[in-house]
Amino acid sequence: MLRVRGRSVAWVPPLLLLGGIALVDFNTSGEFRIISWIVLVPGIAAAICGVVGTAVFAALALITYVLADNAWPHQFQSGLPDFILVAVGGVLAVSACAVRVRGERHMLHMRDVADTTRRTVLRPLPPVWGGLDHAAVYLAADSEARVGGDFYDIQPGLYGTRVLVGDVQGKGLAAVEAAAALLGTFREAGYHEPDLATVAERLEIRMLRHDQHLAALGRDNGDRFATAVLLGFPADEPGVVQAVVFGHEPPLAVGPDGVRPLPPGDGLPLGLTELAAGLPPVHRVPLAPDETLLLTTDGVTEARDGTGGFYPLADEVARAVAADPSLTEPSLLVAFVRDGTLRHCGGRLADDTTVFAVRRAAKGTLAPGRLQS
């Protein structure tokens, strides 16, 4: 924060304070001296400077105290007690600064770890990937968190491009582990399997295996589950999208002519389908070239305003697209939903929030290939 043109100016406030105290002390009477206040200088430096800088200001404060005190007649000198106060204050300030710097380094290291985890779970995607134009935004309910249980990915494959968006029940590292397990399976199955139903089955099996593994380790996973939407864009059917909905809000098809929801499906979340008759069906839905699929997690659909009302996603998007048809472009659509959600809940997100928009790219852009990872 205390930088000008990339150079640190953290030394300026304690230096000004040091000079100001010395100047005021010189212009006050002998009965009212404030030179002992100079102990504040290394304390301020400890809060904003490094260890070396704090040590320098502690030494400068002590030297300035000795010079200023000895410049007065003997009867007005503060003497040894205040000298000890300034010296001890400097030592304590340097120690406090060392603790602060160590804590900051640990925090930065943990942030790097969290960023690496996020890039592993939510890997960066090229602007046009697998023949799809897309945009996404992820907002953590905890402002200090870098990754949560929401997940999304695009996987080009041998039989078209597949998309997965979902939300693992719960929070914390356990939710991140489950999301990473599902994404790993999706990236392999989505590439190799010819049928979207098989990809859906592989995801369900992976969720069950993940829970069983944690149970064998003695970790109470609470029968963790995940809601998800699995999409398939067949390479040989450009006007069709396949969809499997695992207990998730169905996608919205957003086009210049309006907004329509895809079929909701009848399936339970991943990890719970054994309680139903089977996996949810694969729906085949016509999709116009100018239509964008909008997928969100419950951080959007369950965002509440001050009166407890939910965010009216479909209505808001429909009104906005009617006023400006260019809003169907994925990046603009994602930005609109993000801003609308934050505005609706006053910036107080109750859950992790993902907004994902995807549509087939215009002809001439990158199409799915056999070697895409």
Side-chain angles (χ1 to χ4, degrees), residues 252-279:
L252 297 177
V254 181
D257 295 330
V259 177
R260 59 186 175 94
L262 268 63
D266 303 317
L268 294 177
L270 290 166
L272 300 179
T273 57
E274 59 184 4
L275 303 178
L279 294 173

Side-chain angles (χ1 to χ4, degrees), residues 274-301:
E274 59 184 4
L275 303 178
L279 294 173
V282 178
H283 293 282
R284 295 171 55 84
V285 182
L287 188 68
D290 57 357
E291 283 188 309
T292 298
L293 292 179
L294 174 64
L295 302 97
T296 64
T297 58
D298 53 12
V300 174
T301 55

Side-chain angles (χ1 to χ4, degrees), residues 293-343:
L293 292 179
L294 174 64
L295 302 97
T296 64
T297 58
D298 53 12
V300 174
T301 55
E302 296 182 4
R304 296 174 180 263
D305 59 13
T307 64
F310 292 111
Y311 178 57
L313 175 63
D315 293 340
E316 289 290 319
V317 172
R319 281 194 292 268
V321 170
D324 181 9
S326 68
L327 198 66
T328 58
E329 199 275 324
S331 61
L332 296 178
L333 184 58
V334 163
F336 172 82
V337 175
R338 175 201 61 199
D339 295 344
T341 302
L342 292 174
R343 184 169 54 251

Side-chain angles (χ1 to χ4, degrees), residues 36 62-63 65-66 69 78-89:
S36 58
L62 195 60
I63 293 171
Y65 170 80
V66 172
D69 196 47
S78 299
L80 184 60
D82 283 356
F83 175 85
I84 295 176
L85 173 65
V86 175
V88 172

Side-chain angles (χ1 to χ4, degrees), residues 11 14-15 18 35 38-47 49-66 82-97:
W11 52 271
L15 183 62
L18 178 66
I35 192 59
I38 209 167
V39 73
L40 296 175
V41 172
I44 298 297
C49 297
V51 176
V52 174
T54 302
V56 169
F57 277 108
L60 286 176
L62 195 60
I63 293 171
T64 303
Y65 170 80
V66 172
D82 283 356
F83 175 85
I84 295 176
L85 173 65
V86 175
V88 172
V91 172
L92 293 177
V94 173
S95 300
C97 181

Side-chain angles (χ1 to χ4, degrees), residues 120-140:
T120 301
V121 177
L122 304 179
R123 62 178 180 175
L125 297 172
V128 178
W129 186 231
L132 301 180
D133 189 10
H134 62 88
V137 63
Y138 169 80
L139 301 174

Side-chain angles (χ1 to χ4, degrees), residues 4 65 115 126 137 140 146 153 184 208 273 290 342 350-351 361 364:
V4 175
Y65 170 80
D115 285 340
V137 63
R146 312 293 287 183
D153 202 6
L208 294 175
T273 57
D290 57 357
L342 292 174
D351 200 354

